[in-house]
Amino acid sequence: MIFFNIIKGIFNVLSSKAFLLWIIGGWIIYYVSTALWTEEAFANFAAGLEKNLLIQIPYVLFLASGFLNLLRRIVALIKEMKSKDLLTWIFLPLGILLFFTGFLVSSTTRQMEHILIMEGDIIRPAWGNETYRVVSLNPGVAERSADSKTGKGIFAYEPKIIIADESSNSFEIGAFPPSRVKGAYYHILNFGIAPGIIVNEGDEKKVDGYMALNIRTLGSSDYFDIPSYPYRVLVSIDSLKNEKGYSFKARIFKGEKVISEGDPYKGIRFNNLTLHFFEPVFWVQLSVVKDSGVLIIVSAIFMIAIGVPLSTIRLILRAKSSS
């Protein structure tokens, strides 16, 4: 009996309008105070909501009070036989509460990683056991050198990739909007060219593979360090020959000093080493996000979009009837 009375007392407090107003007022005071003393108030709040119990507990109490007050109001309208008022009123407050609920779920369960891939690679997200193979990579490259003068660099349109799961189901992924793949969201965050690179020391091959470079426009440059050697290579696109061929320039640095430069396709010699490029491939950097709160937030926005005009019409009709 005592336990029941305690539960009933907690329920009465949380479902009271006064408690809801107090906790909303507390949040407003907290946020305004934080905004005055810190430059990134919202970012700090979001970070705290992710892992700080001192922020999570009041937030959960706010949601509990909001839903209980909503339930109390629904019961009152049903008892008063005002079903029309219920239908026109419920969408907006329920949508707002669902939005805040989705924000909490997103903050506490969101997982994200960035994955650098090339055609043929295997994608293994950090969560679950799903694996995907990159079936094709369309970089959106300009077909002629003249096309590269449009202001988009050597890329004429949005890059896209197609991935396939173990059951051969395929999914197309672009830059925007994100593509939903089995509960996770994928989109292309960055992309560029990865020249094939061979470094020989005398007759012995020391490096063989692809080097992802952040170069997309004629004349732009990026660099990489040769593994196990004190050399840095600065690479730039000299010209676009055709849709699959590029002319590169490369400079070899040791510290701040240029020790050699030239066309890496022809080979650049320096200190008993030789650098060769072979046909490049394209790379993309995927942003992969698993967020259980997204669908809740989308549903909430949909309900708010319905609720705003319905609530406006309800207020207008009430104003007319009272006058």
Side-chain angles (χ1 to χ4, degrees):
M1 190 68 179
I2 296 176
F3 179 75
F4 175 78
N5 289 333
I6 293 173
I7 296 297
K8 184 179 178 181
I10 294 173
F11 177 84
N12 289 335
V13 170
L14 290 177
S15 62
S16 68
K17 187 182 294 186
F19 181 84
L20 181 60
L21 291 174
W22 272 105
I23 201 165
I24 290 175
W27 277 119
I28 292 172
I29 293 171
Y30 165 79
Y31 190 81
V32 171
S33 301
T34 306
L36 289 174
W37 293 101
T38 62
E39 293 183 358
E40 299 179 354
F42 181 77
N44 292 332
F45 169 74
L49 191 60
E50 180 182 355
K51 52 191 175 184
N52 189 340
L53 285 176
L54 294 177
I55 294 179
Q56 290 174 345
I57 291 174
Y59 196 94
V60 170
L61 289 175
F62 157 69
L63 290 177
S65 180
F67 279 110
L68 289 174
N69 272 274
L70 181 65
L71 179 62
R72 179 176 54 78
R73 181 59 179 160
I74 291 171
V75 171
L77 288 173
I78 292 174
K79 286 182 178 180
E80 295 169 9
M81 303 295 289
K82 294 182 178 180
S83 56
K84 290 183 179 179
D85 282 353
L86 177 62
L87 289 174
T88 56
W89 170 80
I90 193 171
F91 283 95
L92 184 57
L94 182 57
I96 292 172
L97 286 172
L98 283 177
F99 181 86
F100 284 113
T101 302
F103 187 73
L104 174 65
V105 173
S106 177
S107 298
T108 54
T109 65
R110 179 185 175 96
Q111 295 174 281
M112 180 177 68
E113 62 178 330
H114 294 159
I115 305 173
L116 187 70
I117 58 168
M118 301 176 192
E119 189 170 318
D121 284 353
I122 300 297
I123 301 172
R124 293 185 179 87
W127 51 88
N129 299 316
E130 294 286 347
T131 60
Y132 305 94
R133 181 171 57 88
V134 182
V135 177
S136 67
L137 193 161
N138 183 351
V141 70
E143 295 183 356
R144 304 179 307 276
S145 60
D147 296 335
S148 65
K149 299 177 182 178
T150 60
K152 299 180 180 179
I154 64 171
F155 296 92
Y157 49 91
E158 176 187 338
K160 292 183 181 294
I161 66 169
I162 295 177
I163 63 174
D165 62 15
E166 295 171 339
S167 301
S168 298
N169 299 311
S170 61
F171 308 90
E172 185 179 70
I173 300 169
F176 188 83
S179 301
R180 192 168 187 265
V181 181
K182 297 186 179 180
Y185 296 87
Y186 291 68
H187 76 95
I188 294 175
L189 189 66
N190 202 355
F191 57 96
I193 300 173
I197 292 171
I198 295 174
V199 177
N200 292 326
E201 183 173 7
D203 295 328
E204 183 181 359
K205 187 180 292 184
K206 293 293 186 178
V207 179
D208 185 3
Y210 292 96
M211 186 64 64
L213 298 176
N214 192 21
I215 49 178
R216 289 185 292 273
T217 59
L218 301 184
S220 66
S221 61
D222 195 10
Y223 65 86
F224 65 91
D225 295 318
I226 300 177
S228 304
Y229 293 93
Y231 302 111
R232 174 166 290 182
V233 184
L234 182 68
V235 183
S236 61
I237 301 176
D238 186 33
S239 65
L240 172 64
K241 297 177 180 178
N242 52 55
E243 65 271 19
K244 291 186 178 180
Y246 306 91
S247 175
F248 293 99
K249 280 185 178 179
R251 291 184 175 184
I252 317 296
F253 286 80
K254 184 175 183 181
E256 300 295 326
K257 183 180 179 181
V258 177
I259 60 173
S260 188
E261 61 182 302
D263 183 347
Y265 282 120
K266 297 178 181 178
I268 303 175
R269 298 183 61 84
F270 55 101
N271 296 350
N272 201 36
L273 296 177
T274 306
L275 170 69
H276 284 280
F277 277 14
F278 57 93
E279 184 176 349
V281 296
F282 296 96
W283 61 269
V284 298
Q285 185 182 38
L286 284 182
S287 174
V288 186
V289 178
K290 186 175 179 63
D291 192 337
S292 302
V294 169
L295 292 179
I296 301 175
I297 292 174
V298 171
S299 301
I301 292 172
F302 179 74
M303 294 190 73
I304 292 171
I306 295 175
V308 168
L310 285 179
S311 296
T312 303
I313 292 170
R314 179 169 171 268
L315 290 173
I316 292 172
L317 293 175
R318 291 183 77 180
K320 284 186 176 180
S321 63
S322 63
S323 63

